[in-house]
């Protein structure tokens, strides 16, 4: 369970997160949306400490992620993060991309790491690309490898920052399908995305942000049919075109 | 002028030259490995978001880039023994001290240059690579070693090959403190035979051949990387 309590963050003097209070239950799938610059990336990046916060508290299962006793590497190894630009390691083969963190962080023996990696690549439909290098894959394939790479650490929580925004429209579906499968398996997911179809099908809740603040939270159907806040209304109208 | 290679290819002189060639190669190979490892370490330390670390590495690099190589060799050979603990000096003197001090001076100097090449390779990489490594739970040093440095080294391969050639040629400076490498051996043969041209023709052939071999090896590594990366 992830809990944000009165979270404030500034970039210099810019107030990027404004008193955020949210609770994401175990196994919940929460979609975060909002206009560009509203603080969506900033919010999910605070969960695994890619961004520090200046006020408030973020806890995962009761533990303060910014606590003095928390080892940042151990914390991050338990939180999968998927980037908009995939950020695979181009000098390593696909299977090596997936094996690296388990071998280095959890000291998993090479053979076991490879077996796990192959299972995960199979799960995202890319076992046949195991020995290929990332630059040779399509964007959709790269993003699926990136998801497999994050899953290799067996994280109980997955964060997605616009995982399909950099993809050609015809490649979006294959990535969303993998995410839907994860959701159906009970993964706790916090996804920044504007994919309405995905939100409607699998999200338990939609959070709407603007200006660093959460302005609305609602069930997906309600949010897209009957947004309440004027800015949410404008936003929904905009993404419908 | 007539060339007479027979005069210098007696068993005695051939032996001197061969032994000189082996010493040059040993000096180059060991200095290269140590320089490469040290350079990697310098880049990892110097790129950390920690001012004193950056400053220390920058000072190291500037010292080695701005003082002539020969002076650095003299500093190690003549000055350092006075600063090192006695036990170390005794050990080094018992183990070919000329070779060891030349090796230290050469590899530290080369490490400074190589680290600058690697650093510019590092700067050419997307910032997100570090973030991707750290987000998986890898430490800063693990991300450096497994993610950034391999890519930085590939990006910096041409200047690193040049630096390797410079290091190979710089091994000849070790003769100044009496390391019996190729140039030293050639001087010795030339002294005894007065066959100046022949002697240095052989030495030149040695340096040219090895330089080409280093370049060919570098080109091969580059081609292999390109193929692996799918370009
Ligand atoms: N490292 C930074 N330094 C200074 N300002 C930043 C930094 N990162 C983000 N910001 C600012 O903080 C605000 C929120 O940025 P954020 O990336 O969280 O928005 P977002 O909702 O993810 O937008 P987008 O949809 O464009 O990705 C923006 O105004 C942005 O310019
Ligand atoms: Mg963003």
């Amino acid at each position: 369970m992830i809990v944000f309590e009165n979270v404030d963050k500034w970039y210099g003097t810019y107030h990027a997160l404004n008193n955020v209070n949210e609770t994401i239950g175990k196994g919940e799938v929460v979609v975060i949306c909002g206009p560009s610059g509203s603080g969506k990336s900033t919010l999910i990046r605070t969960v695994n400490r890619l961004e520090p916060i200046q006020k408030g508290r973020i806890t995962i299962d009761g533990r303060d992620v910014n606590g003095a006793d928390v080892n940042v590497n151990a914390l991050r190894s338990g939180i999968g993060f998927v980037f908009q630009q995939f950020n695979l390691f181009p000098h390593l083969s696909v299977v090596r991309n997936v094996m690296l963190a388990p071998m280095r962080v959890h000291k998993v023996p090479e053979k076991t790491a490879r077996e796990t990696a192959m299972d995960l690549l199979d799960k995202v439909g890319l076992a046949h690309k195991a020995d290929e290098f990332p630059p040779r894959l399509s964007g959709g394939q790269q993003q699926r490898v990136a998801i497999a790479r994050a899953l290799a650490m067996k994280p109980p929580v997955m964060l997605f920052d616009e995982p399909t925004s950099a993809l050609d429209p015809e490649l979006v579906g294959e990535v969303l399908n993998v995410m839907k499968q994860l959701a159906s398996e009970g993964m706790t997911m916090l996804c920044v995305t504007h994919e309405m179809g995905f939100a409607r099908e699998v999200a338990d809740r939609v959070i709407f942000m603007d200006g660093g603040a959460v302005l609305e939270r609602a069930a997906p159907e309600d949010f897209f049919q009957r947004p309440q806040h004027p800015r949410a209304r404008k936003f929904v109208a905009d993404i419908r075109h | 002028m007539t060339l007479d290679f027979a005069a210098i290819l007696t068993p005695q002189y051939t032996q001197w030259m061969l032994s000189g060639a082996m010493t040059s190669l040993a000096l180059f190979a060991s200095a290269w490995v140590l320089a490469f490892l040290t350079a990697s370490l310098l880049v990892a330390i110097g790129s950390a978001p920690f001012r004193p670390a950056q400053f220390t590495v920058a000072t190291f690099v500037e010292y080695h880039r701005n003082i002539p190589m020969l002076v650095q060799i003299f500093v190690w050979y003549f000055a350092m023994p006075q600063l090192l603990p006695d036990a170390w000096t005794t050990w080094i003197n018992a183990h070919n001290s000329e070779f060891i001090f030349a090796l230290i001076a050469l590899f530290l100097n080369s490490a400074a240059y190589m680290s600058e090449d690697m650093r510019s390779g590092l700067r050419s990489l997307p910032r997100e690579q570090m973030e991707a490594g750290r987000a998986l739970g890898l430490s800063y040093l693990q991300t450096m070693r497994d993610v950034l440095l391999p890519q930085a080294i590939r990006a910096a391969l041409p200047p690193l090959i040049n630096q390797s050639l410079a290091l190979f040629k710089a091994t000849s400076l070790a003769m100044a403190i009496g390391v019996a490498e190729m140039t030293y051996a050639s001087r010795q043969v030339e002294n005894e035979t007065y066959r100046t041209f022949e002697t240095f023709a052989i030495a030149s052939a040695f340096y040219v051949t090895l330089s080409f071999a280093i370049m060919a090896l570098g080109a091969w590594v580059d081609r292999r990387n390109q193929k692996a990366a799918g370009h």
Side-chain angles (χ1 to χ4, degrees):
Chain A
M1 194 164 78
I2 309 169
V3 181
F4 296 87
E5 292 168 80
N6 309 318
V7 172
D8 276 274
K9 170 170 181 74
W10 285 265
Y11 289 113
T13 56
Y14 181 78
H15 202 172
L17 292 179
N18 191 346
N19 193 31
V20 174
N21 286 281
E22 288 301 322
T23 301
I24 290 102
K26 189 166 157 44
E28 256 198 311
V29 177
V30 174
V31 159
I32 304 172
C33 60
S36 180
S38 57
K40 309 179 295 292
S41 299
T42 304
L43 182 69
I44 65 166
R45 290 163 60 89
T46 59
V47 177
N48 68 347
R49 266 170 73 173
L50 286 176
E51 296 291 351
I53 59 174
Q54 282 77 37
K55 265 176 71 183
R57 222 160 76 99
I58 301 171
T59 56
I60 299 181
D61 295 334
R63 280 191 71 176
D64 185 348
V65 302
N66 293 296
D69 59 329
V70 172
N71 176 306
V72 70
N73 299 321
L75 170 80
R76 287 171 179 163
S77 71
I79 305 171
F81 198 100
V82 176
F83 298 89
Q84 181 174 351
Q85 298 292 343
F86 336 130
N87 299 343
L88 293 179
F89 308 133
H91 62 299
L92 298 178
S93 66
V94 161
V95 69
R96 286 267 163 202
N97 264 272
V98 182
M99 291 160 67
L100 180 65
M103 285 175 63
R104 292 292 184 261
V105 182
H106 290 161
K107 313 291 179 207
V108 173
E110 175 156 358
K111 188 164 164 293
T112 320
R114 184 176 291 274
E115 284 164 9
T116 312
M118 288 310 295
D119 287 348
L120 288 168
L121 288 173
D122 194 44
K123 181 180 170 127
V124 301
L126 288 170
H128 62 295
K129 296 285 186 190
D131 296 318
E132 198 58 89
F133 284 81
R136 292 215 190 174
L137 303 187
S138 73
Q141 291 173 329
Q142 290 192 49
Q143 194 61 297
R144 286 186 281 153
V145 174
I147 294 173
R149 178 176 72 174
L151 291 174
M153 298 300 282
K154 305 191 170 45
V157 177
M158 288 283 286
L159 308 174
F160 295 84
D161 192 359
E162 304 208 35
T164 58
S165 301
L167 299 177
D168 293 337
E170 74 271 19
L171 302 177
V172 169
E174 63 190 62
V175 172
L176 291 181
N177 284 337
V178 170
M179 292 170 63
K180 285 176 197 168
Q181 194 193 334
L182 274 181
S184 73
E185 291 167 5
M187 177 67 80
T188 307
M189 293 164 65
L190 200 46
C191 316
V192 177
T193 180
H194 295 164
E195 292 293 335
M196 263 194 284
F198 172 81
R200 283 191 155 136
E201 204 175 317
V202 301
D204 297 298
R205 206 149 25 103
V206 172
I207 290 176
F208 174 75
M209 290 183 74
D210 198 8
V214 175
L215 299 185
E216 189 159 336
R217 53 184 76 73
E221 212 53 45
D222 293 336
F223 179 77
F224 291 112
Q225 295 303 329
R226 292 171 291 280
Q228 302 298 313
H229 197 282
R231 276 190 265 174
R233 260 182 243 152
K234 179 174 185 316
F235 174 78
V236 171
D238 285 347
I239 61 167
R240 281 187 184 283
H241 306 106
Chain B
M1 187 179 87
T2 55
L3 292 179
D4 180 7
F5 281 99
I8 61 165
L9 289 177
T10 66
Q12 168 76 82
Y13 300 148
T14 308
Q15 210 280 322
W16 285 1
M17 295 273 240
L18 277 179
S19 150
M22 291 315 291
T23 303
S24 287
L25 281 179
L27 194 53
F28 169 67
S30 44
W32 191 90
V33 170
L34 291 171
F36 193 83
L37 296 175
T38 309
S40 306
L41 201 64
L42 287 172
V43 179
I45 296 170
S47 303
F50 181 57
R51 278 295 166 88
Q54 295 167 3
F55 179 79
T56 309
V57 170
T59 309
F60 177 92
V61 168
E62 289 315 317
Y63 169 82
H64 289 94
R65 283 207 303 196
N66 292 300
I67 293 177
M69 181 75 249
L70 192 54
V71 175
Q72 293 171 36
I73 293 176
F74 285 158
V75 166
W76 276 98
Y77 187 63
F78 295 113
M80 281 303 173
Q82 298 166 26
L83 300 180
L84 294 176
D86 281 350
W88 293 21
T89 315
T90 314
W91 186 88
I92 290 172
N93 284 337
H95 292 87
N96 196 350
S97 62
E98 291 81 12
F99 185 92
I100 290 174
F101 284 122
L103 172 62
I104 295 173
L106 283 167
F107 98 72
L108 288 179
N109 178 270
S110 202
Y113 281 96
M114 283 187 185
S115 77
E116 283 298 282
D117 295 337
M118 290 182 191
R119 206 161 65 92
S120 63
L122 198 63
R123 272 200 301 262
S124 73
L125 304 178
R127 194 180 50 82
E128 287 78 12
Q129 287 286 303
M130 173 57 90
E131 203 162 68
R134 297 304 309 272
L136 284 166
L138 296 170
S139 68
Y140 171 82
L141 282 178
Q142 285 173 329
T143 309
M144 265 290 166
R145 189 190 59 188
D146 292 317
V147 177
L148 292 174
L149 276 176
Q151 296 185 64
I153 289 163
R154 279 164 204 217
L157 203 56
L160 284 173
I161 294 167
N162 280 340
Q163 186 43 45
S164 305
L165 285 177
L167 171 62
F168 176 57
K169 288 180 286 186
T171 57
S172 65
L173 295 171
M175 76 167 289
I177 56 171
V179 177
E181 46 66 68
M182 189 63 178
T183 307
Y184 183 97
S186 309
R187 277 282 289 154
Q188 237 182 342
V189 173
E190 191 258 351
N191 254 328
E192 302 237 341
T193 61
Y194 299 106
R195 290 285 166 191
T196 311
F197 191 82
E198 290 86 340
T199 317
F200 287 114
I202 289 177
S204 301
F206 166 77
Y207 284 112
V208 167
T209 309
L210 263 296
S211 292
F212 275 119
I214 292 167
M215 280 190 274
L217 191 66
W220 177 77
V221 172
D222 198 24
R223 261 201 317 281
R224 220 188 41 156
N225 289 342
Q226 303 277 337
K227 226 180 6 220
H231 299 308

